[in-house]
């Protein structure tokens, strides 16, 4: 079957990646068996997600080039100044494409779909969504980078069961990369022809050699003091969270740290990248080691969050946590 051939193709590389991290990380966790909603087959779901993802890429690339977008979406690229940053016609077009696509392909599946663009209308503060299964979407993560033309933007899709993601999709249109992460199976990257490449975490392990990937548009003095206290090897600035995590998956960087201030990243910023990274054998936690949770009634992912390739993650969290007690008690 399609599923059997798919599993054989990807599972061995996933096993080697996971085994490496179990051996070298002080807190690695074995993924659990993949669980999906009743009646949903993984190979069918992934095929639909491929089509929706590359359709999203076509929409965003057309907007970025000033060309007529496909599927009947308007040409104009308007920027609205909202409370959480700019919103473009591209955000809204991809949002509609993804939500409509999930509804059309899975009309009877009992899951709820929430996106950054619809959250204000559909969420009630302090109340979680009364659904066992929840899609959390970000149709355009890194809107500022998209508008600035850096190419460092992404599309995020995460399927959450209860409060934990079980499947994540991170699309990088400008890089022609589609990252999948499935708990219990692993993570991999595909191009438009479904040619795949596997995760290649770096072998760097001590703090003084680790490469940090940090935000370009969200930096403050507290974060700079924290990074200075860790005495890391080097750092690079990258846009979207999805793009940051992809640099870890490729082995170009080893960790990403988010330290919220007046504002905090939201569920849709973190859920899909976390799912892909953790499925690959990496780690994504709070600085105190506690896991990220979703659909809690509060979409903010506040505090200090650390994503890494898993090697020495516990030691990294411990040092960051101790430093924060002095920097921001």
């Amino acid at each position: 079957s399609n599923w059997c051939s798919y599993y054989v193709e990807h599972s061995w590389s996933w096993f080697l990646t996971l085994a490496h991290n179990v051996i070298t990380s002080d807190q690695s966790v074995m993924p659990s068996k993949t669980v999906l909603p009743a009646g949903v087959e993984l190979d069918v779901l992934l095929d639909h997600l491929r089509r929706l993802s590359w359709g999203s890429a076509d929409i965003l690339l057309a907007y970025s080039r000033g060309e007529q977008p496909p599927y009947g979406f308007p040409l104009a690229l308007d920027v609205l100044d909202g409370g959480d940053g700019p919103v473009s016609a591209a955000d809204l077009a991809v949002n509609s494409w993804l939500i409509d696509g999930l509804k059309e392909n899975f009309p009877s599946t009992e899951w709820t779909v929430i996106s950054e663009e619809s959250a204000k209308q559909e969420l009630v503060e302090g109340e979680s969504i009364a659904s066992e299964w929840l899609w959390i979407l970000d149709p355009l993560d890194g809107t500022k980078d998209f508008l600035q033309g850096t190419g460092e933007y992404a599309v995020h899709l995460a399927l959450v069961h209860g409060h934990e993601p079980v499947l994540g999709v991170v699309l990088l249109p400008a890089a022609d990369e589609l990252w999948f992460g499935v708990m219990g199976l692993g993570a991999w990257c595909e191009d438009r022809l479904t040619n795949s490449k596997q995760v290649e975490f770096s072998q760097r392990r001590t703090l003084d050699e680790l490469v940090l990937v940090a935000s370009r548009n969200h930096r403050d003095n507290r974060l700079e003091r924290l990074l200075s206290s860790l005495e890391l090897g080097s750092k690079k600035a990258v846009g979207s969270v999805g793009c940051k995590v992809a640099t870890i998956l490729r082995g170009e960087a080893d960790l990403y740290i988010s330290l919220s201030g007046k504002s905090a990243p939201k569920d849709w910023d973190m859920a899909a990248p976390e799912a892909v990274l953790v499925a690959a054998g990496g780690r994504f936690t709070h600085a105190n080691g506690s896991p990220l949770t979703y659909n809690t009634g509060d979409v903010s992912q506040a505090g200090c969050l650390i994503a890494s390739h898993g090697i020495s993650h516990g030691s990294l969290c411990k040092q960051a946590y101790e430093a924060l007690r002095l920097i921001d008690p």
Side-chain angles (χ1 to χ4, degrees), residues 27-42:
Q27 290 192 32
S28 289
V29 177
M30 179 71 73
S32 59
K33 181 180 179 181
T34 304
V35 178
L36 292 174
V40 176
E41 297 182 8
L42 181 59

Side-chain angles (χ1 to χ4, degrees), residues 248-272:
I248 299 175
L249 295 166
R250 299 189 205 103
E252 301 165 2
D254 307 300
L255 72 150
Y256 158 57
I257 298 178
S258 169
L259 181 60
S260 58
K262 294 181 180 179
S263 62
K266 306 297 190 293
D267 284 2
W268 40 82
D269 297 310
M270 300 301 185

Side-chain angles (χ1 to χ4, degrees), residues 56-65 90 94 139-140 146 153 155 173:
S56 299
D58 292 337
I59 295 170
L60 292 172
L61 290 171
Y63 275 117
S64 69
R65 297 165 181 159
V94 174
L140 179 51
F146 177 78
Y153 58 91
V155 178

Side-chain angles (χ1 to χ4, degrees), residues 81-318:
D81 291 323
D84 294 321
V87 177
S88 70
D91 299 66
L92 301 177
V94 174
N95 186 67
S96 175
W97 169 254
L98 292 175
I99 292 177
D100 291 348
L102 286 171
K103 290 180 179 178
E104 291 171 3
N105 290 301
F106 300 94
S108 60
T109 303
E110 295 184 353
W111 54 32
T112 301
V113 181
I114 293 294
S115 78
E116 179 181 13
E117 309 309 331
S118 63
K120 291 182 179 179
Q121 292 74 39
E122 299 183 13
L123 296 179
V124 177
E125 186 175 356
E127 297 182 12
S128 59
I129 297 294
S131 177
E132 180 182 4
W133 294 94
L134 178 67
W135 280 103
I136 300 179
L137 313 181
D138 191 341
L140 179 51
D141 184 61
T143 310
K144 289 183 180 179
D145 280 275
F146 177 78
L147 296 172
Q148 292 166 1
T150 70
E152 295 172 356
Y153 58 91
V155 178
H156 297 171
L157 301 91
L159 180 60
V160 172
H161 183 223
H163 303 290
E164 300 177 359
V166 298
L167 183 152
V169 180
V170 174
L171 167 72
L172 309 183
D176 196 39
E177 291 183 347
L178 179 59
W179 289 92
F180 286 103
V182 183
M183 296 302 177
L185 177 61
W188 65 95
C189 181
E190 296 181 359
D191 63 16
R192 286 179 180 264
L193 300 177
T194 68
N195 298 314
S196 65
K197 61 181 179 180
Q198 303 305 318
V199 174
E200 296 183 4
F201 288 142
S202 86
Q203 301 303 306
R204 296 179 289 266
R205 59 183 306 122
T206 60
L207 293 187
D208 62 356
E209 64 180 354
L210 295 183
V211 178
L212 171 96
V213 58
S215 295
R216 177 181 293 110
N217 293 311
H218 302 282
R219 306 283 286 269
D220 65 15
N221 180 61
R222 293 158 54 250
L223 178 60
E224 294 297 344
R225 291 174 61 191
L226 173 60
L227 299 182
S228 177
S229 71
L230 294 176
E231 299 182 345
L232 301 170
S234 61
K235 57 185 176 181
K236 59 194 303 183
V238 174
S240 160
V241 178
C243 290
K244 294 182 181 71
V245 167
T247 66
I248 299 175
L249 295 166
R250 299 189 205 103
E252 301 165 2
D254 307 300
L255 72 150
Y256 158 57
I257 298 178
S258 169
L259 181 60
S260 58
K262 294 181 180 179
S263 62
K266 306 297 190 293
D267 284 2
W268 40 82
D269 297 310
M270 300 301 185
E274 183 206 353
V276 177
L277 183 62
V278 173
R283 301 296 308 283
F284 206 142
T285 70
H286 290 272
N288 64 4
S290 63
L292 278 64
T293 55
Y294 301 91
N295 192 25
T296 63
D298 180 3
V299 297
S300 294
Q301 293 288 344
C304 181
L305 311 180
I306 300 179
S308 81
H309 57 11
I311 304 174
S312 302
H313 187 86
S315 301
L316 176 65
C317 286
K318 181 179 180 180

